[in-house]
Amino acid sequence: ILGFGLFSFSVGILVEVLNKGHLLNTIKERNMLYRIARLKNHFVICHHNEITIELSKQFRENHIPFVVVDPREDLASIAEKYKYPYYVKEEPHTEIALLKSYLSSARGIITLSENTADNIAQIASARLYEKEIGLKKPYYVITSATNENDIDKLKKLGANRVISPTKLMAERLRAMSLRPDMENMLENLLYRKDAPIDMEEIKIPDHSWLRFKKLKETRLRDIANVSIVGIKDNKDNFIPMPKGDVLVGTGSKLLVIGTAESIRATKRIIRKKQKPEELKYV
């Protein structure tokens, strides 16, 4: 009788769990976490909204891995509708969310809450977490704000970039109004997924052979087919269209333009400790 009662009680609990969907949700969550665990250098996007939808489209088109974290109960259906490949249903600033999104192996975090307090909490959690795990390279943190006070506040708290949607829209409208032809050219050349040319800022490592060399001595145009359209020193002083006599100092950043393949080749050349062999043939 005791055994039958225990069996009936266990069956009742199992039926209740199945009816409420807890077991199925647990299995789905474990499968999702196994998939997320395989990601490397991904971005963790916090909070689902209109910006997240558009950003996810851009990331998918450019093959950038990402995980969306949001506490909504219907996040699974939202992820299916907007084609989020990876998602976590948790409050983004909590420790469990950081663990489930495998922030330890992520490249950075993007927090897009309309509430500034949520973005502040997210930045603080990310910076504390990277200290706890002893991360050598800090996370690249991007967030959004609507006014100048919030932008300054978020930067002081540790955000690398703070984007203002209203300010960006105003700048694009101004550019389109004053130079519509130039704006169309940038759309076709830089912003498209299959753009023929690309532009990127490349930091000079401390071990690079380029340090304390003049730009004309690097011969990057000849060996990598890129053009240097700007250089920024370690004090963020920017020199547009630098001449060949400009010195590449410690912590400098080169703004280069070229094809995606040529920019990748430039990065490889810049990271070398010794002068590349290609210089012998140019």
Side-chain angles (χ1 to χ4, degrees):
I1 293 173
L2 182 62
F4 179 75
L6 182 62
F7 174 76
S8 301
F9 180 72
S10 303
V11 171
I13 292 177
L14 180 60
V15 170
E16 183 180 2
V17 170
L18 290 174
N19 287 335
K20 291 184 177 180
H22 294 324
L23 183 59
L24 184 59
N25 290 337
T26 301
I27 293 174
K28 287 183 177 180
E29 183 182 24
R30 290 191 64 180
N31 291 335
M32 179 61 67
L33 294 180
Y34 284 139
R35 293 170 57 200
I36 295 174
R38 299 188 182 98
L39 296 177
K40 297 290 183 183
N41 293 322
H42 60 285
F43 278 95
V44 177
I45 305 177
C46 304
H47 304 288
H48 163 78
N49 51 37
E50 294 297 326
I51 302 178
T52 308
I53 295 171
E54 293 300 321
L55 180 61
S56 66
K57 291 179 182 178
Q58 298 292 328
F59 275 11
R60 289 197 307 273
E61 289 179 358
N62 291 276
H63 306 289
I64 301 174
F66 64 95
V67 180
V68 176
V69 184
D70 193 277
R72 301 167 190 253
E73 291 296 331
D74 59 341
L75 184 60
S77 59
I78 290 174
E80 183 178 359
K81 180 179 179 180
Y82 297 109
K83 299 180 181 179
Y84 297 160
Y86 310 99
Y87 61 90
V88 173
K89 189 180 76 65
E90 295 288 350
E91 284 289 347
H93 67 274
T94 59
E95 185 178 0
I96 187 66
L98 301 180
L99 294 173
K100 286 184 176 181
S101 61
Y102 282 84
L103 188 62
S104 57
S105 60
R107 179 182 175 184
I109 188 167
I110 304 174
T111 173
L112 299 172
S113 175
E114 297 177 358
N115 187 353
T116 304
D118 292 336
N119 293 330
I120 291 173
Q122 193 64 53
I123 294 171
S125 299
R127 294 307 184 199
L128 288 173
Y129 184 71
E130 69 184 18
K131 289 181 180 179
E132 288 180 1
I133 64 176
L135 197 68
K136 294 182 180 179
K137 185 178 180 181
Y139 295 121
Y140 191 73
V141 179
I142 306 173
T143 185
S144 61
T146 56
N147 56 70
E148 292 295 332
N149 290 334
D150 289 341
I151 291 175
D152 294 337
K153 187 185 302 180
L154 291 167
K155 285 183 177 179
K156 291 177 181 177
L157 289 171
N160 298 97
R161 293 292 301 273
V162 182
I163 306 300
S164 174
T166 54
K167 188 175 180 180
L168 282 177
M169 182 178 292
E171 290 176 350
R172 290 294 297 274
L173 289 173
R174 176 185 61 82
M176 293 174 67
S177 301
L178 298 177
R179 293 178 293 177
D181 295 336
M182 178 63 68
E183 186 69 16
N184 292 335
M185 186 179 71
L186 290 175
E187 288 282 355
N188 292 327
L189 295 182
L190 294 179
Y191 301 144
R192 284 167 37 196
K193 179 183 68 172
D194 56 345
I197 63 173
D198 199 358
M199 182 184 294
E200 190 167 339
E201 187 179 70
I202 305 176
K203 184 177 181 180
I204 306 299
D206 293 339
H207 61 268
S208 176
W209 67 277
L210 263 75
R211 291 172 64 222
F212 312 120
K213 295 274 193 311
K214 294 181 180 180
L215 283 178
K216 62 183 179 182
E217 297 176 341
T218 64
R219 306 294 294 273
L220 291 176
R221 173 69 177 176
D222 298 319
I223 60 179
N225 195 26
V226 295
S227 296
I228 301 173
V229 296
I231 184 170
K232 186 187 295 183
D233 61 20
N234 56 356
K235 296 181 180 179
D236 284 343
N237 296 318
F238 184 74
I239 303 174
M241 304 305 295
K243 296 182 179 180
D245 293 332
V246 175
L247 196 68
V248 180
T250 302
S252 297
K253 297 178 181 178
L254 302 180
L255 183 61
V256 300
I257 186 169
T259 64
E261 183 179 354
S262 63
I263 289 178
R264 285 194 296 268
T266 304
K267 289 181 179 178
R268 290 194 298 268
I269 294 170
I270 289 176
R271 293 193 189 107
K272 291 184 177 182
K273 296 181 180 180
Q274 304 296 330
K275 185 181 294 187
E277 294 290 329
E278 293 89 337
L279 281 177
K280 297 179 180 180
Y281 307 104
V282 295

